[in-house]
Amino acid sequence: MAASATVGTVPATPAATDHMDPRKLIAFFAMVLGMFMSILDIQIVSASLAEIQAGLSAGSDEIGWVQTSYLIAEVIMIPLSGTLARIVSTRYLFAASAAGFTMASALCATATNIDQMIVYRAIQGFIGGGMIPSVFAAAFTIFPPSKRSIVSPIIGLIATLAPTIGPTVGGYLSHAFSWHWLFLVNIVPGIIVTIVTWNFIDFDKPEFSLIKKFDWWGLLSMGVFLGALEYVLEEGNSNDWFNDSHIFMGAIASAIAAVVFFYRAFSVEFPVVDLRAFTNRNFAFGSVFSFVMGIGLYGLTYIYPVYLGRIRGYDSLMIGETMFVSGLAMFFTAPIAGKLSAKIDLRLMMVVGFASFAAGTYIMTHLTKDWDFYELLIPQIFRGFGLMMCMVPINNIALGTMPPARMRGASGLFNLTRNLGGAVGLAIINTVLTTRQDVHYERLRENIDWGRPAAIDQMNNMAANFNTYGMDGAVVAIKQMVGLVTKQAVVLAFGDVFLMLTLLFLAMILGVAMLDKPAPQGGGGGGGGH
C-alpha cells in the first residue's frame, strides 16, 4: 500500500512540515474515488436483485450469489493487498486494480446468464478489493499527523457512505435506465482513476525480489479459510446451517485452512499476511471496534431495506430514498468529526458515537408495521451521526501509531475486520430474525384461539365481509388472519434484533474504557495512541 518495508525509501510522516504535495493530493483523491467505487459495488446491486434476476432469467436461489461471489472474492483480496503492494508497489497495484475493476464492471454489464454474472462479479470483487486498504495506508503515511483531522474523515466518510447509499444509487439507476447501468456507471470513473493513479502515485518502490519468498501455501490456505467462512456466514441461515451438507463442508474446510494459514503466518520468513500488527495494543482494540462497526454499518444497511420491503411493500427506489437520510447525516457529520478529533479525547468521541448508535437502535425496538419515513428519520440520523463519530477515532487509534513499514499489512487487516464484522453481523441478524419470528408466531397463535371473544368477532367480521364478494368467507378470513399474525411476528422479530444491537453498542462504550489515552492529533504526535 503506501509504505515500504525498507523504511529508508519512504518519507515517514514528516512532522516537521505541514506542506501537502499537490501530486500526492491528486493521487490520494483518485485513490479515494477508486475505493468509493469498490465499496459502493458491494451494495449497489442489493436493492436491484429482482431486476437482475428477471434480466438473466435466474432462479431465486441463484440470484443471491451476485452479492455473495463479490464479497467472498473481496474478503480474500483485502488482507492480501498489503503483501502485493510491497512486492509490486502501490502504484502498480492500484492502477492494475482500477483497470481490472473497470474491465470486470464492463463484463458484468454484458452478462447474459447467471453463471457469467457470478464469475464476473467474483473477478470484480477480487480485483477491486486491492483498492480499499491502499487508501487507508496512504492516508496515514503520506500526510503529516497535523493533517489527519482532514484526511481521516474523508476516508471514513467514503468507507461508510458508499455501502449506505449503495441501495439508493442502485435503485435510481435500475429504475431510470436498466440494471446494466449498475455496472456501466463504473467505466468512466474507472478509466480516470487508472490514468491518474498510474501517473501520480510515487509513494514507494517495488521489491520484486520478494516474489521468490512468496508463500503460495499461505495464500491458498487464506483463500479457503476466508472464502469458505464468508460462504458459511452468507448462506448459512437460508440453508439451515449445519443441516446442509455444503454449509457443513464449508465450515470444516474453513477450520482446517485456518489452522494451516495461522501456522504459515507465524512460521515462514515472508508470510502472505503480517499478523504482527496485532501486537500493537491500540491496533488490536481498534480492529475489535472496526469489527463491531462492520456489524452496525452492513447490518443496519441490510435490515432497514428488509423491513421496508417485507412489511411496508416498498420498491427499490422508495427504499433508497428512505435510506438516504443516513447518508446525509454522515456527510454533514464528517467535517464536525474531523475538527473534534484534533481537539478532544478520541475515546470521548467513540463513546458519543456508540451512544448515538445505541439510541437509534433503541428507538427502533418500538417498531410497528405502520412505521414509515418520518418514524425512521430520527433513528437514521442517530445512525449516520454515530457512524462518523466512531469511524474517525477508530481509524486514528488503530492506524495512527503504526510504523510506515507495517502500515500496508495493518491496513489490509483493519479493513478485513470491518468486512468480517458485516458478514458475521448479517448471519446473526438473519438467524435471530428467523428464530424469533417463529417464537413470536407461536405466542401470537396461542392468543388467537376460538375461546377469545375478540378473535371470534374479528374472524366473523372478516368472513362476513368476504362473503359479500361471493367468496368462501371463513376460509379467506383464516388465511387473512394467518397473514396478519405472520406480519406481526416479523415486526416483533425486528424489534428483538434492534434490542440485540442496542446492547452490543452499549457494551462497546465499556470497551472504550480499556483503551490507552491517545495522543492529540494536531500536535504531530501521531494521532493514534501509545
Side-chain angles (χ1 to χ4, degrees):
M1 289 178 211
S4 177
T6 50
V7 181
T9 64
V10 173
T13 42
T17 176
D18 280 356
H19 176 66
M20 294 169 89
D21 183 346
R23 284 183 63 86
K24 286 181 177 175
L25 269 178
I26 292 168
F28 176 71
F29 281 108
M31 292 171 76
V32 165
L33 177 57
M35 179 178 81
F36 178 78
M37 290 194 306
S38 181
I39 301 179
L40 181 74
D41 263 59
I42 299 171
Q43 294 288 349
I44 197 169
V45 301
S46 63
S48 309
L49 285 175
E51 287 90 338
I52 298 173
Q53 182 180 347
L56 298 176
S57 303
S60 57
D61 57 331
E62 298 172 314
I63 194 63
W65 277 93
V66 173
Q67 193 99 319
T68 305
S69 60
Y70 187 96
L71 288 169
I72 289 175
E74 186 183 62
V75 91
I76 295 168
M77 182 55 157
I78 284 175
L80 175 64
S81 57
T83 301
L84 290 179
R86 199 173 150 190
I87 295 172
V88 303
S89 81
T90 304
R91 178 192 178 203
Y92 286 114
L93 175 68
F94 205 97
S97 294
F101 179 83
T102 306
M103 288 188 280
S105 297
L107 286 173
C108 287
T110 63
T112 54
N113 59 56
I114 189 66
D115 296 330
Q116 287 179 7
M117 176 62 86
I118 290 169
V119 171
Y120 297 155
R121 280 285 284 174
I123 295 169
Q124 190 190 29
F126 185 76
I127 298 175
M131 293 192 279
I132 299 169
S134 304
V135 181
F136 283 78
F140 284 88
T141 47
I142 65 175
F143 296 120
S146 58
K147 300 298 181 193
R148 208 160 281 161
S149 62
I150 301 168
V151 174
S152 192
I154 292 172
I155 58 172
L157 179 64
I158 295 302
T160 52
L161 187 64
T164 304
I165 67 168
T168 309
V169 174
Y172 272 111
L173 286 173
S174 56
H175 260 72
F177 305 105
S178 71
W179 64 263
H180 303 84
W181 281 91
L182 301 174
F183 308 106
L184 291 173
V185 75
N186 290 327
I187 291 176
V188 173
I191 292 169
I192 293 169
V193 169
T194 304
I195 294 169
V196 173
T197 52
W198 177 260
N199 287 301
F200 283 85
I201 292 179
D202 59 350
F203 312 147
D204 51 13
K205 297 288 182 281
E207 298 176 61
F208 294 119
S209 60
L210 291 172
I211 293 175
K212 296 173 189 169
K213 301 178 184 175
F214 191 80
D215 182 18
W216 294 102
W217 284 108
L219 173 61
L220 178 64
S221 59
M222 183 185 78
V224 175
F225 162 42
L226 293 175
L229 177 63
E230 183 79 28
Y231 165 71
V232 169
L233 292 171
E234 281 285 314
E235 301 292 316
N237 185 63
S238 57
N239 293 336
D240 200 19
W241 290 105
F242 299 118
N243 292 323
D244 180 89
S245 59
H246 291 105
I247 298 295
F248 182 73
M249 293 301 291
I252 297 292
S254 182
I256 294 170
V259 173
V260 176
F261 166 69
F262 284 113
Y263 172 75
R264 302 288 299 182
F266 291 113
S267 62
V268 301
E269 180 188 353
F270 181 49
V272 72
V273 176
D274 182 9
L275 297 177
R276 290 173 299 168
F278 286 111
T279 58
N280 179 312
R281 185 162 177 256
N282 271 8
F283 177 78
F285 275 113
S287 296
V288 172
F289 288 121
S290 174
F291 184 88
V292 175
M293 286 295 293
I295 298 174
L297 174 61
Y298 291 108
L300 291 173
T301 302
Y302 167 78
I303 195 169
Y304 277 103
V306 171
Y307 164 77
L308 291 169
R310 284 175 64 179
I311 305 301
R312 301 294 303 159
Y314 279 23
D315 63 19
S316 57
L317 188 63
M318 293 163 74
I319 290 171
E321 289 168 348
T322 307
M323 293 287 290
F324 199 62
V325 173
S326 282
L328 283 177
M330 285 181 215
F331 188 79
F332 288 118
T333 307
I336 299 169
K339 284 190 169 64
L340 287 175
S341 67
K343 290 183 169 62
I344 66 172
D345 189 331
L346 295 179
R347 296 175 300 177
L348 180 60
M349 280 186 70
M350 288 170 68
V351 167
V352 171
F354 282 123
S356 177
F357 250 129
T361 49
Y362 178 71
I363 293 170
M364 292 297 292
T365 59
H366 302 98
L367 185 72
T368 73
K369 64 180 174 59
D370 299 316
W371 278 32
D372 220 321
F373 178 86
Y374 294 103
E375 287 85 0
L376 301 178
L377 183 68
I378 300 301
Q380 289 205 82
I381 291 173
F382 273 134
R383 173 184 169 231
F385 175 78
L387 260 171
M388 288 314 302
M389 289 297 284
C390 289
M391 192 73 177
V392 173
I394 289 172
N395 289 346
N396 291 342
I397 284 170
L399 299 174
T401 50
M402 274 287 141
R406 288 263 178 91
M407 181 59 74
R408 289 176 299 196
S411 177
L413 289 170
F414 179 69
N415 282 279
L416 175 66
T417 57
R418 189 174 64 251
N419 278 31
L420 284 180
V424 171
L426 289 179
I428 294 171
I429 285 169
N430 273 321
T431 304
V432 170
L433 270 179
T434 303
T435 53
R436 295 301 297 170
Q437 180 185 334
D438 293 342
V439 169
H440 287 302
Y441 183 82
E442 289 301 320
R443 286 181 183 166
L444 289 169
R445 199 176 70 171
E446 287 168 10
N447 288 321
I448 304 176
D449 55 36
W450 297 111
R452 283 177 66 91
I456 293 171
D457 289 346
Q458 172 85 348
M459 289 288 288
N460 289 338
N461 289 336
M462 289 166 71
N465 187 35
F466 288 120
N467 281 331
T468 61
Y469 291 101
M471 303 179 190
D472 186 342
V475 173
V476 180
I478 290 171
K479 284 183 179 176
Q480 287 283 98
M481 189 65 87
V482 168
L484 287 172
V485 172
T486 302
K487 181 179 273 194
Q488 187 58 35
V490 173
V491 171
L492 290 170
F494 276 116
D496 292 342
V497 169
F498 283 114
L499 179 60
M500 175 185 73
L501 291 171
T502 303
L503 296 173
L504 173 66
F505 297 133
L506 289 175
M508 284 300 103
I509 294 175
L510 299 176
V512 173
M514 299 175 71
L515 286 171
D516 295 332
K517 182 175 181 179
Q521 276 190 82
H530 300 297

